[in-house]
Amino acid sequence: MEQVILVDEKDNEIGTMEKMEAHQKGLLHRAFSVLVFNTKGEMLLQQRAISKYHSGGLWTNTCCSHPQPGETIEQAGKRKLIQEMGFSCDLSFSHKFVYKVHLDNDLIEYEWDYILIGYYDGVPSINANEAQAWKYASVKSIQQDAIKNPDQYTCWFKLILKQPEINQLIAHSAY
């Protein structure tokens, strides 16, 4: 059973719990979201597999999950990137934020979400159990589409798209 790292409001570890139980109880835990860009400045998105335990069929960032006990955020990001998208690249920490939202299937996401940034120009080899489609798109076009079609994107990704750090990435990339 996959565990999550429970934390307090200051992101101090306070224990572990089975992933589904933490989401059912809405307990604060660590998570990460990987944002991979190509040299054109486009972000690699995945459409979550319809069979996922929540947010199935929605578009989101390159990959996301939870670090396991004893695993760094960067190690966890690389593990999931290979598992979900079939490639690896260097990842660097950008920032973190906390959010709490109610999801489908009576689940609650209450997470300290670490944002990891990577660069890759290749074609992913997606795991059909995790993702059903992928695409590269400019952040500006993604932000505009998320406003126009909010029900097609995951809740955490819509929050990420509104963060000042993402707008700084846009300002420093070739779009």
Side-chain angles (χ1 to χ4, degrees):
M1 294 189 139
E2 189 176 339
Q3 299 285 304
V4 295
I5 300 168
L6 300 176
V7 293
D8 64 19
E9 296 79 19
K10 294 183 179 179
D11 196 23
N12 298 305
E13 291 186 30
I14 58 172
T16 61
M17 182 176 282
E18 192 275 323
K19 179 176 74 171
M20 286 302 291
E21 183 181 359
H23 286 107
Q24 290 163 344
K25 293 180 175 179
L27 299 179
L28 185 57
H29 59 278
R30 282 199 188 128
F32 62 86
S33 294
V34 174
L35 310 178
V36 172
F37 297 87
N38 63 18
T39 52
K40 295 179 193 173
E42 299 168 320
M43 187 189 300
L44 177 58
L45 301 184
Q46 70 156 272
Q47 186 178 24
R48 289 171 61 89
I50 201 77
S51 60
K52 294 290 282 185
Y53 70 101
H54 70 76
S55 308
L58 299 181
W59 286 97
T60 196
N61 49 285
T62 312
C63 76
C64 54
S65 190
H66 308 90
Q68 296 300 289
E71 185 178 45
T72 68
I73 295 290
E74 290 80 5
Q75 289 169 336
K78 284 187 172 191
R79 172 179 53 82
K80 287 303 282 189
L81 193 55
I82 292 168
Q83 180 188 355
E84 293 188 13
M85 303 301 282
F87 70 89
S88 182
C89 65
D90 289 335
L91 298 174
S92 60
F93 172 76
S94 171
H95 64 285
K96 65 182 180 177
F97 71 104
V98 68
Y99 74 97
K100 186 175 187 177
V101 296
H102 292 263
L103 300 172
D104 51 328
N105 299 325
D106 293 322
L107 299 176
I108 300 168
E109 287 274 30
Y110 188 22
E111 299 182 335
W112 266 108
D113 194 9
Y114 285 69
I115 308 302
L116 300 173
I117 306 296
Y119 298 91
Y120 180 74
D121 272 323
V123 174
S125 176
I126 59 175
N127 176 344
N129 294 322
E130 299 288 341
Q132 62 190 35
W134 63 273
K135 65 182 175 183
Y136 281 105
S138 77
V139 176
K140 286 181 183 178
S141 70
I142 298 165
Q143 288 172 320
Q144 291 167 351
D145 194 55
I147 291 168
K148 190 175 172 183
N149 300 295
D151 58 335
Q152 294 181 18
Y153 293 87
T154 61
C155 57
W156 64 89
F157 187 50
K158 290 183 285 190
L159 293 171
I160 291 168
L161 289 172
K162 294 177 183 176
Q163 294 174 349
E165 293 85 355
I166 301 306
N167 290 325
Q168 290 170 359
L169 285 171
I170 295 170
H172 294 96
S173 296
Y175 284 75

